[in-house]
Amino acid sequence: MTKSLKYLVPVGGLGGGFTEEHFTAALTADLDFIAVDSGSTDGGPSALGQDHFLTSRGAMKRDLRLLIKATRQLDIPLLVGSSGGSGGNKNLEGVWEIVREIAEEEKLSFRTALIPSEPDRATLVRKFREGRIKPLRPAPPINESTLTDTHRIVAMMGPEPFIEALQGGADVVLGGRSSDAAFIAAVPLMRGMSPGPAWHAAKIMECGGAAVTQMVKPEGMICTLTDEYFELEPVSPEQSCSPLSVAAHALYETSNPVVMVEPGGIMNLKEARYEAVSDRAVRVWGSRFDAAPYTVKLEGAALQGYRSASLGGITDPTILRDFDKWFEAAKGGADFTLRRGLGDELADQCSVTYRVYGRNAVLGANETREFGNDHEAGVLIDVLAPTQEMANSAIKTLSHTILHYAVPQWHGLVSNLAFPFSPHDFDLGPSYSFVLNHVVELDDPMELYSIRYEEV
């Protein structure tokens, strides 16, 4: 008899919201577990650097309440990966606080496992000295001070910490920063399922219902897994999967759609085959997982300074017809005014970036297309400085100069920028950057991780 396992991922990100009616209908007695990812670096390093939740606390609590009540009713585990967004320790504790509140409000009792993902810095330094921290591309240069002084560092755990937590009797497992696929593959691997289908299914399922033909709104997905294949079917009756929509998911957030590195191995999809089993469900065959050295990815967020910005729109056709020439002159004038006001020493400490929306704001120097935009352009001025006061002072000087910079074809004072906000200069606060895009080799999958059990 073929082994099989069935699980549900209700949404691609905790706090993203899902339709309660569709979720409730999917809560069948044959479910083995429910899992949900909570993390992403889509918004950059600030969530890790500033310990911010990725979604609102209220939205996460709403989703968690439904998930905890359902899993306790069915007596199956709930697994949460990258808790709170970045998976840093403060975010993990913040999600644990929400779980405690729900348990008290709903009068529920269960065992929770917390798995922090911020590694011991001395261990990282030792690994660095041994040459066992390797750069990914692109990766900034690092030294020992990067590993000791960076504000937050997390290590993206594999499935083993989740497996150990479940074997320790946890009903709810809250993981710190986790491989998106690993925490979902944990239960199948613990049950001895074939790693190829287990990992490939988890890679798709971590995004909830994203592998449907049209994801108009976030919903979930049900996976039925065997040792030979897995089947995916959307939770919402309004959505459907096709072989193309499921296969296309391999293009999402990957540098190689057929070979993907995970802790302890490589997901190999070169021979994967996709077939429709109904007008809504798809079966996937041929996925492999090849053994490889055990590595986990490191992410680090370091404070770079303080940021202020200003946004304005230009719709003057005279400027737009020869925009590049005018804008280069305007930036030169703004730099002159900044240096006259702050002096060269302080001005050199300010990093100024201009982005022109409607032209090349996204790709910058890598943009290959030419634009003949004579309708409007948006100008974003961005200053990074050692202090918020300095950034604020600089942005006020720069935006005012660009606002009134002369137009050669006009004699007299001009106002070039239409500001959508008042005040038109705004402080963005501390600014962080990723300073690690590396992997660290582990002798033991649990080497960087410990588990704390809590009873509620």
Side-chain angles (χ1 to χ4, degrees), residues 40-41 50 58 114 119 163 180 188 241 250 261 316 335 361 393 398 419 450:
S40 176
T41 56
Q50 296 183 281
L114 283 76
I163 292 173
D180 291 348
C241 288
V261 179
D316 186 331
D335 182 69
S393 176
L398 295 165
F419 296 115
S450 60

Side-chain angles (χ1 to χ4, degrees), residues 321-338:
R321 275 195 292 269
D322 197 9
F323 179 82
D324 291 334
K325 183 177 180 181
W326 175 85
F327 195 48
E328 287 304 311
K331 289 190 291 184
D335 182 69
F336 171 82
T337 308
L338 180 65

Side-chain angles (χ1 to χ4, degrees), residues 25-43:
L27 297 176
T28 55
D30 56 348
L31 282 179
D32 290 277
F33 69 96
I34 294 176
V36 64
D37 191 18
S38 185
S40 176
T41 56
D42 288 353

Side-chain angles (χ1 to χ4, degrees), residues 20-259:
E20 184 175 355
E21 177 186 359
H22 301 335
F23 172 71
T24 302
L27 297 176
T28 55
D30 56 348
L31 282 179
D32 290 277
F33 69 96
I34 294 176
V36 64
D37 191 18
S38 185
S40 176
T41 56
D42 288 353
S46 64
L48 179 59
Q50 296 183 281
D51 303 313
H52 286 170
F53 284 152
L54 185 64
T55 55
S56 75
R57 190 183 193 278
M60 285 198 296
K61 187 172 182 179
R62 178 266 183 190
D63 287 0
L64 278 171
R65 186 185 302 276
L66 293 172
L67 299 178
I68 290 172
K69 289 173 65 177
T71 51
R72 291 301 80 234
Q73 180 182 355
L74 294 173
D75 193 23
I76 58 175
L78 170 64
L79 292 82
V80 181
S82 299
S83 295
S86 67
N89 290 356
K90 286 196 174 181
N91 280 14
L92 176 64
E93 293 296 332
V95 174
W96 166 229
E97 181 181 23
I98 295 173
V99 169
R100 290 202 311 271
E101 290 177 5
I102 293 169
E104 182 178 352
E105 292 163 4
E106 299 293 336
K107 296 180 172 52
L108 295 171
S109 298
F110 50 86
R111 192 175 209 204
T112 302
L114 283 76
I115 315 174
S117 61
E118 293 189 30
D120 174 68
R121 301 299 180 92
T123 301
L124 294 183
V125 170
R126 175 175 58 81
K127 294 280 188 181
F128 181 75
R129 291 174 179 172
E130 294 171 349
R132 303 185 69 189
I133 294 181
K134 306 294 180 64
L136 301 174
R137 192 174 61 175
I142 65 170
N143 52 38
E144 290 187 13
S145 66
T146 308
L147 302 173
T148 57
D149 299 343
T150 295
H151 176 63
R152 285 271 182 266
I153 297 176
V154 290
M156 190 179 288
M157 70 185 75
E160 289 81 4
F162 287 88
I163 292 173
E164 184 167 317
L166 291 168
Q167 291 173 337
D171 301 302
V172 175
V173 183
L174 303 179
R177 189 66 169 122
S178 317
S179 157
D180 291 348
F183 80 99
I184 297 178
V187 173
L189 295 174
M190 182 178 71
R191 301 266 185 97
M193 305 292 288
S194 175
W199 277 98
H200 188 189
K203 169 63 180 157
I204 300 171
M205 287 289 289
E206 64 96 359
C207 286
V212 297
T213 55
Q214 288 191 341
M215 195 181 76
V216 178
K217 59 183 180 180
E219 297 289 359
M221 190 82 79
I222 298 171
C223 175
T224 302
L225 177 70
T226 75
D227 281 333
E228 290 80 33
Y229 62 84
F230 59 92
E231 292 182 2
L232 303 180
E233 184 173 355
V235 168
S236 169
E238 302 166 2
Q239 296 177 338
S240 61
C241 288
S242 72
L244 178 59
S245 72
V246 174
H249 196 271
L251 299 171
Y252 178 64
E253 295 184 334
T254 59
S255 59
N256 186 324
V258 294
V259 177

Side-chain angles (χ1 to χ4, degrees), residues 326-344 347 350 352-354 379 381-383 393-406 416-417:
W326 175 85
F327 195 48
E328 287 304 311
K331 289 190 291 184
D335 182 69
F336 171 82
T337 308
L338 180 65
R339 292 180 179 279
R340 185 178 61 187
L342 295 182
D344 286 342
C350 297
V352 181
T353 303
Y354 296 90
V379 176
I381 311 168
D382 167 18
V383 176
S393 176
I395 198 64
K396 290 182 182 300
T397 298
L398 295 165
S399 64
H400 187 77
T401 304
I402 299 290
L403 169 65
H404 293 302
Y405 195 78
N416 304 309
L417 298 175

